[in-house]
Amino acid sequence: MNAPFAAPAIDPALVEALRALLGSRLSLSESDRAQHGRDESRHAPRLPDAVCRPHSTEEVSAIVKLCAAHGTPVIAYGVGSSLEGALIPVKGGVSIDMNEMNAILEVRSQDLDVTVQAGVTRKQLNAHLRDTGLFFPIDPGADASIGGMAATRASGTNAVRYGTMRENVLSLTVVLADGRIIRTRSRARKSAAGYDLTGLFVGSEGTLGIITEVTVRLYGIPEVMAAAICAFPSVEAAVDTVIQTIQMGIPVSRVELLDDNAISAVNAYSKLSLPVTPTLFFEFAGSQAGVEEQAAIVEEIAKGEGATNWRWSADADERNRLWQARHDIHWAIRAANPGKQGFGTDVCVPISSLAEVIRGVREDTRQQPFNTTLVGHVGDGNFHFGFQIDPDSPEEVRAAEEAYDKMVAHAVRVGGTCTGEHGVGLGKRKYMRMEYGEAVDVMHLVKNALDPQGILNPGKVLPD
Amino acid sequence: MNAPFAAPAIDPALVEALRALLGSRLSLSESDRAQHGRDESRHAPRLPDAVCRPHSTEEVSAIVKLCAAHGTPVIAYGVGSSLEGALIPVKGGVSIDMNEMNAILEVRSQDLDVTVQAGVTRKQLNAHLRDTGLFFPIDPGADASIGGMAATRASGTNAVRYGTMRENVLSLTVVLADGRIIRTRSRARKSAAGYDLTGLFVGSEGTLGIITEVTVRLYGIPEVMAAAICAFPSVEAAVDTVIQTIQMGIPVSRVELLDDNAISAVNAYSKLSLPVTPTLFFEFAGSQAGVEEQAAIVEEIAKGEGATNWRWSADADERNRLWQARHDIHWAIRAANPGKQGFGTDVCVPISSLAEVIRGVREDTRQQPFNTTLVGHVGDGNFHFGFQIDPDSPEEVRAAEEAYDKMVAHAVRVGGTCTGEHGVGLGKRKYMRMEYGEAVDVMHLVKNALDPQGILNPGKVLPD
């Protein structure tokens, strides 16, 4: 195995063949390799042996064929925003940087779909769509590539209304482990024709094939958007409000929960004076009459649960002010915890168990020296506790890991999952057997059938 | 191979073992076998060698283990409403009738989900849910079993709002080809944990495993429902109305298209006097103000496309009267075509090509002696032409098949699929290569990995 900054341990014949294919779009430089060996996670970087920058599906196919002939790992790279080490080449090999495959191939406004090369980012796509009245709603925070979002089954704050990449990818072009190119599905809105290969590749984190083109659904931009915010006496009251809202079929676009610690941090950072208590942030979308009606119903539900300080607005500036605390939360937490590193978590549970699992984490971490802050995409039951730890303290790191292990075990026990949206990558492989039992063996059967050499992003998703 | 009414060609040792397991819930009677050898399709029946009626996942596992040991095919049977021969045991074997696995295991109203045994039918489930304010929306017409609906990725008239079984199954319990039992997924609303096994088994028509339990999403029953109907000068005008409606994000629950031939048949059968021209049937759901607003917007769009005779109502009786033509269409077509057999079709195309593909079918069948009628779930681009043929005329059968082949080829050419909702079964295997190209080979890899003996519903879905 390579040490992180060793010279590349790649077959010179493979380098020569890749150079012939790509010219200067093959890079062996240490800086380039270093950039492609790390992500936004806490996992240790590991350099790839080479970086390729293809321009087409056919070039990706040619790269994979060459690597397959040499038994060399291949790992797709989008913008590097993975939070679980999904792109770190833990066994070396070739990083395929998709950023130069950034063409928006065809917008079909009547069909409400678009086909893009995998390197197109979501903000690039939405900027391109601006004049069509359509938009692509999936918003994981980072300006991720659409290919990376498909590969990790990304979602974000408005999954409660629009679903995740699972629901929004219609079709993929995929390069298989032997270099063959397939299209997983037609563009039809529904199909009962055979196995759902689109679904199989979405979320497979590059371990079953390399996604090179993506066709996703688009939506009409709502006529009016409105925001609301209100404070609750407890997490339970906030969660009960969300449960009733969803049961009534109110099509909220987003509903986010911040706990008292998070509100404290934001009050300090953004000079706000929000009540320091669990707080819900709502976004509504629709017609003017529709959003007014939605907001009125939710206000009534929330007040029935003891909410105070209800405020709402459909005015753009006022909306932004209401949501300012939510928008500023990451910077606020950083400012409130100088010298600390955020240890992020990501479980998703049935909403009936949400308050219980959150309470469990708070009890488990009460005695710890580090601060905890909760941000939840509460409509889906997905939430992120951030533990603000001293990265140089092995005790704090271990305590955070233990608290995370307990959180995941609790989530799985109540019918939830170890990752709502960040993916498995390196960090959650250890939870897969707990969550899936023998179903993990079926995943291995599929992996071995599609990648018998094990060259596609080895060491990810599945436990050994 | 057995002739249809031959005695069972099943290993006596297997019969003995199944009898020891199931007692009188194993049947070899010819009438029982005959019932399990046919569906609602035009495909020739073929008897299974035995019929089993398990009560639990564990019994299904035991049956499959025994059959695996004898290399004997196993085919799951729901209510027999398949339209593509999916349940016909073309290579004999054991039919596993799921009807006695009809327990509703747990309704979780806060989580908006329910777990049922696979034999529960959709009407049984909705009757059970009546007092909860929740419902399960997927409506394929027949009172199908939830397991069968999952296995065939069923949908129906309200997929435009609620999606298909793909979007609505959260988790499955599945018996694998070697009898192992897995659960495909947690109940979390979203998950980024590993391969989407739920999606892999949904739509696999029993060729990858036997579905024994299903967890599906539930929805709040809308406060108000309203219906509307209007007549258009052309299919194009009707389709353009639907495209604009969906682009504007109007959450129609259903939107169905009947062509002039279909309207003629219904006028005669139901003593109506609808204008004999392409006609859209809308259903809206939401709050009182919401459905009124939706209907007003759609009316304006429709009139802009030349619609006449717009009528709408939120009153239950009047709603049913407006939709009567749509509800009566199958009986009306039968009455209008005495002695004929309906040759059903089922393609789904991007909506921008819907009018063109429909026009193509009408041109191709204009010279044929048989009547054609169109019913379309037009919001999804899914439609069904019925060809009313003389089943004893080889020329008419051949002409219908040729017209269907051309329809599918046209649908695939414009980015559509050979089956929107009926499944592949026996009848559409010949289209799979045309639609998927080399992706069919990936399906074969998955099939061979999960069912190396080929005992799970052999002869279905994948071409040889």
Side-chain angles (χ1 to χ4, degrees):
Chain A
M1 305 277 273
N2 289 354
F5 289 88
I10 187 170
D11 188 325
L14 176 57
V15 171
E16 196 176 322
L18 290 171
R19 179 84 68 202
L21 180 72
L22 299 166
S24 63
R25 293 184 283 115
L26 172 73
S27 170
L28 304 181
S29 85
E30 189 164 298
S31 66
D32 231 347
R33 292 163 54 221
Q35 185 208 326
H36 291 80
R38 60 172 179 253
D39 61 9
E40 300 290 326
S41 75
R42 59 183 177 276
H43 299 292
R46 168 72 160 82
L47 272 61
D49 298 312
V51 176
C52 293
R53 291 186 166 84
H55 284 173
S56 66
T57 298
E58 289 67 30
E59 283 189 352
V60 175
S61 166
I63 293 165
V64 172
K65 278 182 188 163
L66 289 169
C67 290
H70 289 80
T72 299
V74 286
I75 303 96
Y77 182 98
V79 307
S81 56
S82 166
L83 294 170
E84 276 299 344
L87 63 78
I88 299 175
V90 289
K91 301 195 176 180
V94 172
S95 178
I96 304 183
D97 183 323
M98 304 300 285
N99 282 286
E100 295 184 16
M101 286 184 66
N102 66 348
I104 294 167
L105 299 172
E106 193 175 359
V107 178
R108 304 175 199 89
S109 56
Q110 288 202 310
D111 295 326
L112 293 151
D113 70 39
V114 61
T115 301
V116 300
Q117 285 188 311
V120 168
T121 71
R122 65 179 186 87
K123 288 185 181 171
Q124 177 194 351
L125 174 59
N126 278 324
H128 184 90
L129 293 171
R130 196 162 286 151
D131 297 332
T132 64
L134 303 177
F135 80 120
F136 173 64
I138 313 299
D139 171 6
D143 186 19
S145 68
I146 306 287
M149 290 171 63
T152 54
R153 203 182 294 131
S155 49
T157 51
N158 49 17
V160 63
R161 170 131 172 196
Y162 295 101
T164 73
M165 289 302 276
R166 178 183 198 266
E167 288 76 31
N168 284 286
V169 176
L170 286 171
S171 181
L172 299 168
T173 300
V174 175
V175 173
L176 302 176
D178 60 4
R180 270 183 303 170
I181 299 165
I182 63 161
R183 204 192 50 171
T184 56
R185 190 181 175 284
S186 77
R187 288 197 298 115
R189 284 273 148 165
K190 65 185 200 186
S191 172
Y195 306 160
D196 182 4
L197 298 181
T198 305
L200 188 61
F201 287 100
V202 169
S204 67
E205 302 185 19
T207 64
L208 300 178
I210 308 278
I211 295 169
T212 60
E213 293 179 11
V214 190
T215 301
V216 293
R217 293 174 186 254
L218 301 175
Y219 297 83
I221 296 173
E223 190 187 333
V224 173
M225 281 163 63
I229 176 174
C230 58
F232 288 86
S234 65
V235 166
E236 283 79 358
V239 169
D240 284 345
T241 298
V242 175
I243 289 173
Q244 292 172 58
T245 300
I246 292 173
Q247 280 180 335
M248 288 193 65
I250 311 291
V252 287
S253 313
R254 308 183 202 242
V255 50
E256 298 278 296
L257 172 67
L258 267 58
D259 74 353
D260 48 359
N261 291 344
I263 295 291
S264 281
V266 178
N267 275 346
Y269 179 79
S270 307
K271 302 189 177 42
L272 300 171
S273 52
L274 298 171
V276 179
T277 187
T279 301
L280 286 181
F281 296 75
F282 287 96
E283 188 181 275
F284 307 106
S287 65
Q288 184 69 41
V291 299
E292 283 177 17
E293 186 179 40
Q294 291 174 35
I297 295 169
V298 174
E299 179 179 3
E300 196 179 313
I301 296 170
K303 289 188 171 166
E305 294 293 334
T308 55
N309 208 31
W310 170 271
R311 286 182 292 155
W312 92 285
S313 177
D315 173 76
D317 290 341
E318 179 60 15
R319 249 175 41 215
N320 283 332
R321 266 193 295 280
L322 288 175
W323 269 62
Q324 188 181 344
R326 175 64 186 89
H327 292 312
D328 290 347
I329 183 66
H330 293 293
W331 302 108
I333 291 172
R334 200 172 285 192
N337 297 278
K340 304 290 174 146
Q341 192 179 60
F343 182 107
T345 68
D346 169 42
V347 303
C348 184
V349 298
I351 193 167
S352 62
S353 299
L354 185 57
E356 168 199 330
V357 178
I358 288 172
R359 198 164 51 236
V361 178
R362 294 194 61 151
E363 281 166 12
D364 287 341
T365 52
R366 185 159 297 151
Q367 303 303 323
Q368 296 301 334
F370 49 77
N371 288 331
T372 68
T373 23
L374 170 70
V375 177
H377 311 317
V378 68
D380 310 307
N382 183 203
F383 65 91
H384 309 291
F385 262 103
F387 303 149
Q388 308 308 317
I389 62 171
D390 174 357
D392 298 324
S393 160
E395 293 75 27
E396 289 199 18
V397 172
R398 194 170 52 247
E401 282 171 352
E402 284 174 7
Y404 198 9
D405 288 348
K406 284 184 78 168
M407 185 192 319
V408 170
H410 196 169
V412 169
R413 209 158 57 235
V414 299
T417 176
C418 67
T419 172
E421 57 187 11
H422 294 173
V424 177
L426 290 169
K428 291 169 191 149
R429 295 165 70 218
K430 63 178 175 179
Y431 303 131
M432 289 291 281
R433 184 69 66 177
M434 183 201 311
E435 180 170 336
Y436 283 101
E438 284 199 270
V440 169
D441 301 331
V442 177
M443 295 186 197
H444 275 294
L445 288 174
V446 171
K447 167 71 176 174
N448 294 338
L450 268 63
D451 180 23
Q453 276 200 97
I455 63 167
L456 294 173
N457 203 5
K460 307 298 166 55
V461 182
L462 300 181
D464 290 328
Chain B
M1 304 278 274
N2 289 352
F5 289 88
I10 187 170
D11 189 324
L14 176 57
V15 171
E16 197 177 320
L18 290 170
R19 179 83 67 202
L21 180 72
L22 299 166
S24 64
R25 292 184 286 115
L26 171 73
S27 171
L28 304 180
S29 85
E30 188 163 300
S31 67
D32 230 348
R33 292 164 53 222
Q35 185 208 326
H36 291 80
R38 61 171 179 254
D39 62 8
E40 299 290 326
S41 76
R42 59 183 178 277
H43 299 292
R46 168 73 160 82
L47 272 60
D49 298 313
V51 177
C52 293
R53 291 185 166 84
H55 284 173
S56 67
T57 298
E58 289 67 28
E59 283 189 352
V60 174
S61 166
I63 293 165
V64 172
K65 277 182 186 163
L66 289 169
C67 289
H70 289 81
T72 300
V74 286
I75 303 96
Y77 181 98
V79 306
S81 56
S82 165
L83 295 170
E84 276 300 343
L87 61 81
I88 299 175
V90 289
K91 302 194 176 181
V94 171
S95 178
I96 304 183
D97 183 322
M98 304 299 287
N99 282 286
E100 295 184 15
M101 286 185 66
N102 65 348
I104 294 167
L105 299 172
E106 193 175 359
V107 179
R108 305 176 199 88
S109 56
Q110 288 202 311
D111 295 325
L112 294 156
D113 71 38
V114 61
T115 301
V116 300
Q117 285 188 311
V120 168
T121 71
R122 66 179 185 88
K123 288 186 181 172
Q124 177 194 351
L125 175 58
N126 278 324
H128 184 90
L129 294 171
R130 196 162 287 149
D131 297 332
T132 63
L134 304 177
F135 80 120
F136 172 65
I138 313 298
D139 172 6
D143 185 20
S145 68
I146 306 288
M149 288 171 64
T152 54
R153 203 182 294 130
S155 49
T157 52
N158 50 17
V160 63
R161 171 134 171 192
Y162 294 101
T164 73
M165 289 301 276
R166 178 183 198 266
E167 289 76 30
N168 284 286
V169 176
L170 285 171
S171 181
L172 299 168
T173 300
V174 175
V175 173
L176 301 177
D178 60 5
R180 269 183 304 169
I181 298 165
I182 63 161
R183 204 192 49 168
T184 56
R185 190 180 175 284
S186 77
R187 289 196 298 114
R189 284 274 146 165
K190 66 185 200 186
S191 172
Y195 305 160
D196 182 5
L197 298 182
T198 305
L200 189 61
F201 288 101
V202 169
S204 67
E205 301 185 18
T207 64
L208 300 178
I210 307 280
I211 295 169
T212 60
E213 293 179 10
V214 190
T215 302
V216 293
R217 292 174 186 254
L218 300 176
Y219 297 82
I221 296 173
E223 190 188 333
V224 174
M225 282 164 63
I229 176 173
C230 58
F232 287 86
S234 65
V235 166
E236 284 78 359
V239 169
D240 284 345
T241 297
V242 175
I243 289 173
Q244 291 173 59
T245 299
I246 292 173
Q247 279 180 336
M248 288 194 65
I250 311 292
V252 286
S253 314
R254 308 181 202 244
V255 51
E256 298 277 297
L257 172 68
L258 267 59
D259 73 353
D260 48 358
N261 291 344
I263 295 292
S264 281
V266 178
N267 275 345
Y269 179 79
S270 306
K271 300 188 178 41
L272 299 172
S273 51
L274 297 171
V276 179
T277 186
T279 301
L280 285 182
F281 296 74
F282 287 96
E283 188 181 273
F284 306 106
S287 66
Q288 184 68 40
V291 298
E292 282 177 17
E293 187 179 38
Q294 291 174 36
I297 296 170
V298 174
E299 179 179 2
E300 195 180 315
I301 296 170
K303 288 187 172 166
E305 293 293 334
T308 55
N309 208 31
W310 169 271
R311 286 182 292 155
W312 91 285
S313 178
D315 172 77
D317 289 341
E318 179 60 15
R319 248 176 41 216
N320 282 332
R321 266 193 295 280
L322 288 175
W323 268 63
Q324 188 181 344
R326 174 63 186 89
H327 292 313
D328 291 347
I329 183 66
H330 294 293
W331 303 108
I333 291 172
R334 199 172 284 194
N337 297 277
K340 303 291 174 148
Q341 191 179 59
F343 182 108
T345 67
D346 169 42
V347 303
C348 185
V349 298
I351 194 167
S352 62
S353 300
L354 185 58
E356 168 199 328
V357 178
I358 288 172
R359 197 164 52 237
V361 178
R362 295 195 61 152
E363 281 166 12
D364 288 339
T365 53
R366 185 158 296 149
Q367 304 303 323
Q368 296 301 335
F370 49 77
N371 287 331
T372 69
T373 24
L374 170 70
V375 177
H377 312 317
V378 67
D380 310 305
N382 183 204
F383 65 89
H384 309 290
F385 262 103
F387 303 149
Q388 309 309 317
I389 62 170
D390 173 357
D392 299 323
S393 159
E395 294 75 24
E396 288 199 19
V397 172
R398 193 169 52 248
E401 282 170 354
E402 284 174 7
Y404 198 8
D405 289 347
K406 284 186 77 168
M407 185 192 319
V408 170
H410 195 169
V412 168
R413 209 159 55 235
V414 299
T417 175
C418 67
T419 171
E421 57 186 12
H422 294 173
V424 177
L426 291 169
K428 291 169 192 151
R429 296 164 71 218
K430 64 178 175 180
Y431 303 131
M432 288 291 281
R433 185 67 67 177
M434 184 200 312
E435 181 170 335
Y436 282 102
E438 284 199 270
V440 169
D441 301 331
V442 177
M443 296 186 196
H444 275 294
L445 288 174
V446 171
K447 167 71 175 174
N448 293 338
L450 267 64
D451 180 23
Q453 277 199 97
I455 63 167
L456 294 173
N457 203 7
K460 306 298 164 56
V461 181
L462 300 181
D464 291 328

